[in-house]
Structure formats: structure tokens, C-alpha cells
Amino acid sequence: MNIHEYQAKKLFADYSIPVPEGSVAITPKEAIEIAAIYEYKVVVKAQIHAGGRGKAGGVKLFSDSKEIESYSSTLLGTKLVTAQTGKTGVPVNKVLVEKIYGIQHELYLAIIIDAVTKSIICVASEFGGINIEEVAENNPDKIYTVVADPILGLQPYKLRLLAKKLNITTDLIRPFSILATNLYKLFVENDCSMVEVNPLVITNDGQLLALDAKVNIDDDALFRHPGLLGLRDIGQEDERETRADKSNINYVKLDGNVGCLVNGAGLAMATMDVISEAGSQPANFLDIGGGADEDKVAEAMKIICSDTDVDKIFVNLFGGILRCDVAARGIVQASRETKVPPIIVRMLGTNAEEGSQILLDSSLDVKLIDDLHDAREEFLKS
Ligand code: GDP
Ligand code: MN
């Protein structure tokens, strides 16, 4: 679960991580009232669950009340498209109005879970700010990582070494080390999957300040954090993902055109690999889960079909607890309620033949295949 920048900054403040002064506004009038506290020298920031706002015009500095009003009114109630959102963008219903701080330097600091070392790691760069993706692409040696010890955490000596690599001046090494330690504590105590501060700035008067804040919390741990659950903003989430969540279907929207209906997370990932390796792109990750019935399969199918990017669907099922005939009936049921594009079907396991026959007898455009090599042929981009 993602939370907004203004919520993340409150969390930062709880962990003694310095953040700019400011408040969130839902109307232009409120934005002006907040700005007045800082003599209208403020930065106004669109609150959306995505980065790249700076480059997309969602973050702007002001010194005039009229301009703040007109900018807030154009932003509020519209959708903002950034490099990190889909084509349709995400709604801006709140803006964060903050005092402007003079910036000496922009650093990058994040804590994430690293699959390679199977550890929590701290990632940092001297070259933070809106071009961090380009730094990662062109100068990966300018991005440093520190692996946290599962018991000892981010040991201070490692953070001091990191600070040196980041060319942080001697007087700020200790504050930096404390800030990173607090960020790590926040990460662990709230079961985060990512915490990112970009930029972490050194202000003109030599203070460290978290100018931006991104916090992502592991959905599977939310039951342990009822307080955090209240920060959820469903309006920022993909409609299909929210709908899938209601039926306990694991669905993640992706950029491609091949819809995927699969049972089992591992098989779903392997299915996406086959599609990608053949040169096509999956439109979604979907794991229907073990105990699915006809209605749940139908709902999964309808969710996939509601995505206008989808022009074909790969159904890859291994019938176990979910019998193939039940799945097939679910697919046919969906086709009565929605238009279904051509589907390529691989069914194995319990009642696979019966399931295949149900699909062949239906009015659907179905192509049956036996193994994944054949699937590869289907998704080769001509
Ligand atoms: P993002 O593009 O969505 O990551 O939005 P950020 O919150 O990181 O803002 C983008 C950029 O706006 C930052 O890298 C800063 O350069 C600039 N910015 C944001 N807040 C301030 C501020 O208080 N003072 C100054 N001088 N620049 C700011
Ligand atoms: Mn940022």
C-alpha cells in the first residue's frame, strides 16, 4: 500500500526525521491560507501516489498569492500524468503547501528489500533529485548500497562510510547517520517494502531535510498496523486492482496487451516470462488462487477484459483444487456479460479435457495449446 507524501512526512516526523514546515490543502482557499503563514513563499505539491511530479508540473515554487490560487485550482480535481503513472494519470485531490527552503545540495536516500542479498538495504547517491533514474542508468557507480544486518540493522560505522562516499561534510556525518538509522527504524517497525527520500537536501543553512517522502507498506503486514490502514486512498489505486482485491484475486496492472489468467503466483510469473521472452508484453499479473469457484473465475476474466489494452488473453491453468471444467464454465459465464478477445488456453490437471471441451463448444475464439513452447509461438511479435 502506498501512502501520500504528506502522510509519509508525518510518519517521518514521528521518527525525528526533519521535514519541511507545511500542511495539506483540499481547496485553493485552504492553500492560500497555509501559504500566508509563510508569506506566500511556498512550494505547492500535487499529492498523488506516484513520483515524477517535478517534471510533470506537479511541483511548483511560488512567491505570489494569486499564482498559488490559480495553480491550486488548476491542479485540484484534475488528473496528473507523470512518467510513473499510466496514460490516464491519477487524480489530484490534495496539495501539500510547504515553506520554501534554499537548497545547497540534493541527495538520494532509500531503504528497500533487496532480492539478491535477501536483505534490507540502504541505497544512496550524491546525485539525488528529479534525474535519479538517469543517474542509475548512466552512472550506476554513483549509487551506493549498504546491506543492513538482520539483527544489528544499519550499523553506524557503515553509515559513516556511506556518508564519506556521498561527500557529506564532516559536521553532517552524524546527523546523516542518525537520520538513516531513524529511517531504517521506521521501515522495520511499519513493515515497509520501500521508503524513499528524494531529494534529501542539505539546506543553505547546512541542515539535512527530507524534501520528498515515499512510503510503501507491505500489504500482507497491514493487519498488524490498523493505524496505517486508515491512510489508504483508494482513489489513487488502479480501479481493477481494487476490484480484484475485493474478490481476493491477486491482480496487478501492467503495460502490455496480453491478458493473463493463471492459477498460482509462480505459474503466473512463469507465464509472464514466456510472453515477454517471445517479444510480447503481459497486460497484467493475475493469480486466481487455489479455492476459486466459477464466479471468481468469471470475475477475474471480466476484470481482464475491462482493460482496453488487452487484445488477447492467455489462460494458463493447472487444475488441482480448481478443476479445469469449473474454470472453463467461469470463462464462458464471463463471455455472456462482456466481450472476450481471442484466448489461448493451456489447461492441465484435473478435468482438463472436460474444461477444454466446454471452451471449444462455446462461442469463444479459443486456441488450445499443450505446452509452453507452443505458447511462445503464439506471442512471438511479428
Ligand atoms: P517528484 O518529482 O514527484 O519526486 O517531486 P519532489 O518532491 O522530489 O520535487 C521535485 C523537485 O522540486 C525537487 O527535486 C526540488 O528540486 C524541487 N523542490 C521541491 N521542494 C522544494 C523546496 O522547498 N525548495 C526548493 N528550492 N526546491 C524544491
Ligand atoms: Mn522526489
Side-chain angles (χ1 to χ4, degrees), residues 201-346:
V201 301
I202 300 168
T203 59
N204 285 341
D205 57 0
Q207 305 292 318
L208 281 169
L209 194 64
L211 220 63
D212 193 8
K214 262 191 202 75
V215 169
N216 195 301
I217 299 142
D218 186 340
D219 291 346
D220 292 329
L222 276 171
F223 73 96
R224 303 208 287 206
H225 306 284
L228 293 175
L229 206 52
L231 303 181
R232 185 169 178 191
D233 181 356
I234 288 179
Q236 296 288 313
E237 296 172 12
D238 183 274
E239 276 170 38
R240 283 176 216 94
E241 289 182 12
T242 311
R243 182 174 163 189
D245 199 38
K246 277 196 194 122
S247 302
N248 242 324
I249 296 165
N250 297 310
Y251 171 95
V252 181
K253 169 82 181 105
L254 300 169
D255 292 335
N257 63 314
V258 183
C260 300
L261 180 81
V262 188
N263 65 333
L267 187 59
M269 285 192 271
T271 303
M272 298 194 310
D273 282 349
V274 170
I275 294 168
S276 304
E277 275 173 22
S280 291
Q281 289 302 323
N284 64 274
F285 167 92
L286 190 149
D287 163 22
I288 184 89
D293 57 12
E294 203 177 304
D295 288 339
K296 193 172 169 190
V297 175
E299 176 66 359
M301 197 66 182
K302 285 187 276 183
I303 290 169
I304 296 171
C305 294
S306 71
D307 178 355
T308 49
D309 294 338
V310 170
D311 55 24
K312 59 180 117 167
I313 297 174
F314 185 15
V315 174
N316 192 9
L317 296 174
F318 187 81
I321 299 167
L322 167 63
R323 298 185 337 243
C324 291
D325 60 310
V326 173
R329 284 194 195 93
I331 294 169
V332 175
Q333 182 189 323
S335 73
R336 284 194 285 266
E337 292 166 50
T338 187
K339 196 172 172 309
V340 178
I343 49 180
I344 292 119
V345 180
R346 175 174 177 262

Side-chain angles (χ1 to χ4, degrees), residues 5 9 20 42-43 45-46 48 50-56 58-61 82 84 98-103 106 128-131 196 198-199 201 209 211-214:
E5 177 192 5
K9 281 178 168 167
V42 291
V43 52
K45 310 179 80 174
I48 55 166
R53 296 165 305 169
K55 284 188 179 172
V59 175
K60 233 173 161 173
L61 276 64
T82 81
Q84 293 182 20
E98 287 181 334
K99 179 180 159 184
I100 292 182
Y101 294 79
I103 299 173
E106 300 195 351
I130 56 175
N131 292 319
E196 187 190 67
N198 185 35
V201 301
L209 194 64
L211 220 63
D212 193 8
K214 262 191 202 75

Side-chain angles (χ1 to χ4, degrees), residues 177-190:
S177 175
I178 293 170
L179 191 150
T181 304
N182 288 337
L183 202 65
Y184 178 78
K185 196 159 176 254
L186 182 159
F187 183 99
V188 173
E189 290 183 356
N190 294 283

Side-chain angles (χ1 to χ4, degrees), residues 38-226:
Y38 309 105
E39 292 165 343
Y40 305 106
K41 291 183 185 58
V42 291
V43 52
V44 178
K45 310 179 80 174
Q47 295 301 287
I48 55 166
H49 284 187
R53 296 165 305 169
K55 284 188 179 172
V59 175
K60 233 173 161 173
L61 276 64
F62 295 95
S63 57
D64 176 274
S65 73
K66 286 251 152 31
E67 285 175 24
I68 296 166
E69 172 147 39
S70 74
Y71 179 71
S72 307
S73 29
T74 29
L75 214 50
L76 286 163
T78 54
K79 286 190 171 183
L80 187 66
V81 181
T82 81
Q84 293 182 20
T85 67
K87 300 182 280 276
T88 47
V90 276
V92 184
N93 295 319
K94 288 178 180 144
V95 290
L96 179 60
V97 183
E98 287 181 334
K99 179 180 159 184
I100 292 182
Y101 294 79
I103 299 173
Q104 221 185 97
H105 195 75
E106 300 195 351
L107 302 159
Y108 176 91
L109 181 66
I111 297 184
I112 54 170
I113 295 168
D114 178 40
V116 177
T117 53
K118 300 188 182 75
S119 309
I120 298 174
I121 60 166
C122 172
V123 182
S125 176
E126 187 187 347
F127 303 99
I130 56 175
N131 292 319
I132 190 68
E133 280 86 2
E134 282 143 49
V135 177
E137 179 88 18
N138 304 324
N139 298 90
D141 55 317
K142 294 292 178 205
I143 294 175
Y144 304 104
T145 60
V146 175
V147 178
D149 182 280
I151 294 163
L152 303 171
L154 289 170
Q155 292 130 290
Y157 82 92
K158 288 186 185 167
L159 291 172
R160 283 197 296 273
L161 284 174
L162 176 65
K164 287 229 166 68
K165 285 189 195 161
L166 299 174
N167 288 317
I168 287 176
T169 50
T170 321
D171 55 316
L172 281 178
I173 291 182
R174 201 174 138 74
F176 173 80
S177 175
I178 293 170
L179 191 150
T181 304
N182 288 337
L183 202 65
Y184 178 78
K185 196 159 176 254
L186 182 159
F187 183 99
V188 173
E189 290 183 356
N190 294 283
D191 287 310
C192 297
S193 45
M194 186 203 64
V195 174
E196 187 190 67
V197 191
N198 185 35
L200 167 67
V201 301
I202 300 168
T203 59
N204 285 341
D205 57 0
Q207 305 292 318
L208 281 169
L209 194 64
L211 220 63
D212 193 8
K214 262 191 202 75
V215 169
N216 195 301
I217 299 142
D218 186 340
D219 291 346
D220 292 329
L222 276 171
F223 73 96
R224 303 208 287 206
H225 306 284

